[in-house]
């Protein structure tokens, strides 16, 4: 769990840039799905920017319990958003390659 400003910023970048990178990779190989993929990439980029803004949008003293909870909330929200976007990306992949569907 990220406990400092730098750690939470890095975690946000790691989670959402992974979605963006996977989306671009799939887009290169499946341009026919560009509408859905561009939407996912755009939402991931917006979420990345939003969460990074939230990191510094507080009046909590450093090294306080409140700042720790603030970072935990951001981390949880970012993880949830990342998983939702990755789930959508997986569904797009399944359309391109039905063999990826789970039985």
């Amino acid at each position: 769990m990220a406990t400092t400003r730098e750690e939470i910023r890095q975690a946000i970048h790691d989670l959402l840039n992974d979605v963006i990178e996977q989306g671009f990779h799939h887009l290169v190989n499946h341009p026919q799905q560009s509408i859905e993929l561009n939407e996912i990439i755009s939402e991931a980029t917006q979420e990345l920017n939003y969460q990074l803004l939230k990191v510094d949008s507080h009046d909590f003293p450093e090294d306080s319990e409140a700042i720790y909870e603030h970072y935990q909330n951001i981390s949880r929200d970012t993880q949830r958003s990342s998983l939702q976007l990755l789930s959508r990306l997986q569904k797009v992949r399944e359309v391109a390659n039905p063999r990826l569907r789970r039985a």
Side-chain angles (χ1 to χ4, degrees):
M1 180 74 59
T3 59
T4 67
R5 179 183 180 277
E6 293 76 24
E7 289 174 342
I8 190 68
R9 288 180 63 84
Q10 186 62 49
I12 293 166
H13 276 285
D14 290 346
L15 287 169
L16 293 169
N17 280 334
D18 182 50
V19 175
I20 295 166
E21 184 178 317
Q22 287 187 45
F24 274 123
H25 179 74
H26 191 75
L27 179 60
V28 167
N29 294 308
H30 301 279
Q32 70 276 13
Q33 295 179 303
S34 65
I35 293 172
E36 299 95 336
L37 293 166
N38 282 326
E39 186 177 301
I40 292 168
I41 292 165
S42 176
E43 287 182 36
T45 302
Q46 290 172 13
E47 185 68 18
L48 172 69
N49 292 329
Y50 174 69
Q51 294 300 341
L52 289 174
L53 285 173
K54 279 178 45 178
V55 170
D56 294 324
S57 297
H58 65 83
D59 295 326
F60 307 121
E62 291 300 320
D63 297 327
S64 68
E65 185 65 29
I67 193 74
Y68 179 72
E69 288 178 27
H70 177 67
Y71 291 158
Q72 281 183 317
N73 290 336
I74 292 170
S75 177
R76 184 179 54 248
D77 292 346
T78 303
Q79 289 174 23
R80 186 174 327 148
S81 296
S82 173
L83 288 173
Q84 289 171 343
L85 290 164
L86 286 171
S87 175
R88 287 177 53 200
L89 183 57
Q90 181 62 30
K91 289 176 183 174
V92 171
R93 286 178 176 153
E94 288 172 357
V95 169
N97 187 354
R99 291 179 292 150
L100 293 176
R101 281 196 192 120
R102 295 181 188 184

